């Protein structure tokens, strides 16, 4: 065990810190769940890419820097320490990107990865269907082969950012009459293709980050399929693993949140309840524990180890930590918690964060599903 | 940066785990419980493994290893629920003793009990050769024996008065590691029980309610482990934030162990409430260690003093920092 940073890692940290200090927007962006905020975030994605920080772990050939996971963690620490915005292209860079890296052809990598890292093409996911959330295999949308095209018909829902994004990726039934996870293919398509209709869904906070996508005989070239026809389920499972695991939920984001929560506590210590007091300490401890666990996993992966169902432990931990910390913040704010603008004039980021944190235990596979995975695959309990 | 165990560390852990799995099964706990006295054969076995001299310098006949190895061994002692005073003697006290005393510890001829104001009771004083306090070792005083929750841990009411944070920190770390091992053991015991115990014609482990209980414990345990290891690393390398790291480890391991114990009882049903199954030994050790060497409230106050009081930073470049900015 060597829990020190090398001189090279320290130099890298200083480089990131300097760049972030010079480039991170001074005023917070509007929420990326709304059109205006999303566009602000896209502009930030492009600024990042100009500094060549779009996706630091990717190969240089695809707009990355080829960094290892420890340097990725350091990058993230400096990113969140500087108060940089959420990544609006997270569906692309954290989910689809790694999927293409693992299953895509060289041509697909060249075609999709660079514009993804640069923020030129923003991505939405099109997985869930009406009446099929946690039961992800209950897919009815079909893609019928017609020469060198698929003709897609059906409907997707809960598609994050579909109202604003350029492209989407999803699972479609390419084998007529196939059941469940068989006969599915993983297909990418531009959202401005004729036959695509998008209907925004208003979320709890009033923004329209969600959408339904309707496909009416949408023609998509066969070369937009990732991996073989009918192999979509395995590809999607890998994508889901990325979603639960390391890359989407970097520890530094929660550490930055815990640090802000401690500040909030200091400002409200006189009126804080004992529960809120303890919850603040718990959030601090949990954020640290999450970071330590991630370093441990990163070291294992870098040494050639593989993470599988362990990602489910991760997903439960960060989502429940996030919700508890935001609940504590709402409690500390007391009557001000309901205000959209806090008395000091700033936006009530805790309220927005609290509402968002409620979705954590649902998306990326509900925590109930994760607990089943842990019990069956890690503990070996019978199905 | 490499948050992995070295091959030597893994080998040590595996050797201790295998040895204890073979030689220190529940039958030892039951025998010990019936006798209510230390078991010379178990002690000789632990000494024979070299565990008594783990932290004793090689010049004094020990292995000369450090706190990370001590924490790893403590996890295994917790997993096997070892009751001989090996953790107190070899993992907590040994480096604080004189060379002559260390030599005897490594040889297995000296057992140490520990006294600190944080603990109202002293464990295993009755069989100790020496009592360690912050002033060094003394002859064990005559003390009144008390009955505790853990039948394999004897308690005594002592008289003393000095503070010793070094002793407290070492002991809190080692007890955290023991509780982590205990939590892992209780999860394993409960999982095994859920696979074999049938109700309504099927193994209860196939029911989602049982699965979710056990998965929740698995999450708690998984995220306590790196916290305990980081604390051992910080202590080993003399980091300024060691005390907070150890308090965090004690809280995280205590929470994991308490949840593992409560869940284990629930999963075992009424069987968990009996002496028929071995679970109770681990559960009672968890309860005993949860209150020893600073309870949850004590360690939370130490964390609060650093985090809220002194503004200890979190995250960027402080996860493994050797210095605390505002200490």
């Amino acid at each position: 065990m060597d829990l020190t940073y090398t001189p090279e890692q320290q130099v890298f940290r200083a480089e990131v810190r300097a760049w972030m200090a010079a480039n991170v927007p001074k005023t917070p962006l509007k929420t990326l769940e709304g059109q205006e905020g999303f566009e602000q975030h896209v502009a930030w994605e492009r600024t990042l890419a100009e500094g060549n920080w779009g996706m630091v772990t990717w190969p240089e050939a695809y707009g990355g820097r080829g960094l290892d996971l420890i340097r990725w963690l350091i990058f993230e620490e400096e990113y969140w320490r500087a108060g940089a915005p959420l990544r609006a292209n997270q569906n692309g860079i954290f989910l689809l990107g790694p999927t293409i890296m693992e299953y895509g052809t060289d041509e697909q990598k060249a075609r999709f990865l660079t514009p993804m890292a640069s923020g030129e093409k923003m991505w939405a996911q099109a997985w869930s269907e009406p009446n099929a959330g946690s039961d992800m295999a209950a897919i009815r949308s079909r893609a019928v082969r017609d020469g060198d095209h698929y003709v897609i018909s059906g409907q997707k829902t809960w598609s994050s950012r579909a109202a604003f994004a350029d492209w989407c990726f999803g699972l479609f039934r390419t084998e007529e009459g196939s059941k469940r996870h068989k006969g599915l293919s993983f297909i990418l398509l531009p959202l401005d293709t004729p036959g695509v209709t998008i209907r925004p869904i208003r979320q709890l906070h009033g923004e329209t980050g969600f959408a339904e996508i309707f496909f009416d005989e949408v023609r998509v070239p066969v070369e937009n399929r990732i991996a073989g026809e009918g192999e979509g389920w395995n590809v999607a499972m890998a994508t889901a693993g990325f979603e639960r695991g390391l890359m989407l939920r970097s520890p530094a984001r929660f550490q930055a949140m815990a640090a802000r929560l401690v500040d909030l506590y200091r400002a409200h210590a006189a009126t804080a309840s004992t529960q809120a007091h303890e919850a603040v300490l718990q959030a601090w401890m949990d954020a640290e524990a999450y970071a330590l666990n991630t370093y441990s996993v990163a070291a294992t992966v870098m040494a050639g180890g593989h993470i599988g169902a362990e990602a489910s432990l991760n997903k439960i931990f960060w989502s429940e930590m996030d919700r508890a910390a935001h609940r504590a913040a709402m409690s500390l704010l007391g009557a001000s918690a309901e205000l959209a603008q806090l008395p000091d004039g700033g936006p009530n980021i805790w309220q927005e964060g609290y509402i968002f944190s409620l979705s954590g235990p649902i998306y990326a596979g509900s925590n109930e599903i994760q607990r089943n995975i842990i019990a069956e695959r890690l503990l070996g309990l019978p199905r | 940066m490499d948050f992995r165990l070295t091959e030597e560390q893994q080998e040590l852990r595996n050797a201790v785990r295998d040895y204890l799995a073979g030689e220190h099964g529940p039958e030892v706990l039951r025998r010990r419980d019936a006798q209510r006295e230390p078991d010379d054969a178990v002690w000789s076995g632990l000494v024979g493994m070299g565990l008594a001299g783990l932290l004793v310098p090689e010049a004094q006949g020990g292995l000369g290893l450090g706190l990370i190895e001590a924490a790893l061994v403590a996890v295994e002692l917790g997993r096997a629920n070892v009751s001989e005073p090996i953790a107190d003697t070899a993992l907590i006290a040994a480096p604080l003793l004189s060379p002559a005393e260390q030599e005897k510890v490594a040889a297995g001829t000296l057992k140490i009990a520990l006294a600190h104001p944080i603990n109202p009771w002293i464990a295993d004083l009755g069989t100790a050769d020496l009592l360690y306090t912050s002033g060094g070792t003394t002859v064990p005083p005559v003390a009144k024996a008390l009955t505790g929750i853990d039948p394999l841990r004897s308690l005594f009411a002592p008289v003393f008065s000095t503070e010793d944070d070094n002793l407290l920190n070492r002991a809190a770390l080692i007890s955290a590691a023991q509780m982590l091992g205990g939590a892992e053991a209780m999860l394993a015991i409960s999982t095994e029980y859920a696979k074999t115990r049938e109700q309504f014609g099927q193994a209860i482990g196939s029911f989602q309610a049982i699965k979710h209980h056990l998965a929740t414990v698995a999450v708690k345990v998984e995220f306590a482990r790196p916290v305990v290891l980081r604390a051992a690393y910080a202590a080993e390398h003399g980091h300024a934030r060691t005390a907070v790291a150890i308090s965090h480890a004690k809280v995280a391991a205590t929470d994991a162990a308490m949840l593992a114990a409560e869940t284990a009882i629930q999963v075992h049903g009424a069987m968990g409430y009996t002496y028929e199954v071995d679970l109770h030994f681990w559960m009672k050790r968890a309860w005993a260690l949860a209150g020893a060497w600073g309870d949850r409230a004590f360690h939370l106050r130490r964390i609060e003093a650093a985090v809220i009081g002194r503004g200890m930073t979190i995250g960027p470049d402080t996860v493994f920092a050797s210095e605390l900015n505002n200490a």
Side-chain angles (χ1 to χ4, degrees), chain B residues 174-188:
Chain B
I174 295 301
S175 52
Q178 286 174 278
M179 277 193 286
L180 174 62
E184 290 177 2
M186 287 185 275
L187 176 60

Side-chain angles (χ1 to χ4, degrees), chain A residues 134 316 361-362 365-373, chain B residues 208 212:
Chain A
S134 291
I316 290 173
I362 301 169
S366 72
N367 286 11
E368 287 74 16
I369 295 281
Q370 305 309 325
R371 285 187 162 87
N372 289 349
I373 293 172
Chain B
Q208 201 171 49
H212 287 195

Side-chain angles (χ1 to χ4, degrees), chain A residues 241-258:
Chain A
F242 298 129
E243 189 174 19
R244 289 161 200 158
L246 275 186
M247 297 302 272
L248 181 62
R249 289 293 170 253
S250 75
R253 175 175 159 187
F254 297 109
Q255 290 176 297
M257 174 192 69

